[in-house]
Amino acid sequence: MAQKGMSVLQFQDWGLISYEEALKKQLSLVEKVSKDNLPGYLIFCTHPPVVTLGRSTKPGDVFAWKGQQVEVTRGGRATYHGPSQLVIYPIVNLNQMRKGRKERDIVPFLRVFEEGLVDVLKSYGLENVEGRSLTDDTGVWIGSRKVASVGVGIRQWVSFHGAAINMTHDAQAFQGLNPCGFPPETMISLEEVLKRPVNLEDFKEKLKLKLLDIL
């Protein structure tokens, strides 16, 4: 839970929203959190199909994608966002000390955020789930397959961007690019791993409760 005397993050679900509009709203919240010294916000949403190009994107990462592309300031390389994913944007004030973290330290924040994703995935009976946001093969992996991409940005010591979890199988997702530098077949959805549909609302509630508790 939050430390005594500190309020928790405010939760918002934006539903299906264009990537550009979501980015504008994120940046607006970053300014508000910084200006008013708020703990921050936890945002859930989904996007229409789009490829975003992170700061480490390399030539050849996108080679045959026919849809929209957007350059962004998050870490990491090119990746796909689409309606088959749940996107999580933690807008967190890193100037404040939470859960024993040192002020202005991005590494513990990344670890805690990623551990929250891993814990919820493990609650579905999955094994061999691990987070690797601090390595070259960033993201959340189940064995040799990647189920979630993680990449954050920092402005005025407030985090934005975040993670995208592949919830359902989409044959068109990740086609025409090497997501995060990996072949498209590296990516897998939670539905494919479990070999059954996942109730999205139940998953969102579990993840919401987990992240509000630990961030």
Side-chain angles (χ1 to χ4, degrees):
M1 300 297 292
Q3 295 179 8
K4 185 176 181 180
M6 299 185 68
S7 57
V8 298
L9 303 182
Q10 297 182 50
F11 175 77
Q12 296 181 6
D13 190 334
W14 293 347
L16 181 64
I17 182 173
S18 73
Y19 188 87
E20 299 96 323
E21 181 63 22
L23 183 56
K24 289 179 183 178
K25 294 182 72 169
Q26 283 185 77
L27 293 175
S28 177
L29 290 180
V30 167
E31 292 297 323
K32 180 176 177 61
V33 167
S34 177
K35 179 177 179 293
D36 298 338
N37 194 30
L38 301 174
Y41 296 82
L42 176 65
I43 308 300
F44 285 0
C45 66
T46 59
H47 298 308
V50 62
V51 166
T52 61
L53 311 176
R55 296 192 305 269
S56 300
T57 298
K58 297 181 180 180
D61 281 355
V62 182
F63 52 87
W65 171 254
K66 304 298 185 182
Q68 183 183 21
Q69 298 182 42
V70 179
E71 292 188 8
V72 294
T73 58
R74 62 161 172 78
R77 295 166 67 172
T79 195
Y80 166 88
H81 292 310
S84 59
Q85 298 176 327
L86 173 63
V87 177
I88 304 99
Y89 292 134
I91 315 295
V92 177
N93 188 346
L94 300 180
N95 290 290
Q96 295 187 3
M97 294 182 66
R98 301 293 301 276
K99 307 299 283 187
R101 297 196 300 269
K102 294 180 180 179
E103 292 185 17
R104 296 193 170 191
D105 193 343
I106 182 63
V107 172
F109 164 72
L110 273 174
R111 285 178 174 155
V112 169
F113 176 50
E114 194 171 69
E115 285 170 4
L117 304 179
V118 169
D119 286 350
V120 172
L121 288 169
K122 284 184 175 180
S123 74
Y124 282 80
L126 297 174
E127 299 180 355
N128 201 22
V129 184
E130 62 175 333
R132 305 177 188 171
S133 65
L134 303 178
T135 67
D136 289 339
D137 49 357
T138 177
V140 178
W141 294 72
I142 301 174
S144 63
R145 308 294 294 277
K146 188 174 183 180
V147 72
S149 300
V150 178
V152 302
I154 304 295
R155 178 174 293 192
Q156 300 176 80
W157 281 105
V158 178
S159 69
F160 64 118
H161 297 298
I165 302 175
N166 305 322
M167 297 297 299
T168 60
H169 175 64
D170 180 354
Q172 301 305 311
F174 305 105
Q175 298 305 305
L177 70 151
N178 291 320
C180 304
F182 296 97
E185 57 268 22
T186 302
M187 309 301 287
I188 196 167
S189 68
L190 182 57
E191 177 183 62
E192 291 172 281
V193 175
L194 295 175
K195 296 180 171 54
R196 62 176 174 83
V198 179
N199 186 299
L200 179 59
E201 293 306 315
D202 287 348
F203 184 89
K204 287 165 67 173
E205 185 65 16
K206 288 181 180 181
L207 188 60
K208 169 187 171 182
L209 293 175
K210 182 67 178 182
L211 293 179
L212 288 178
D213 180 55
I214 65 177
L215 291 176

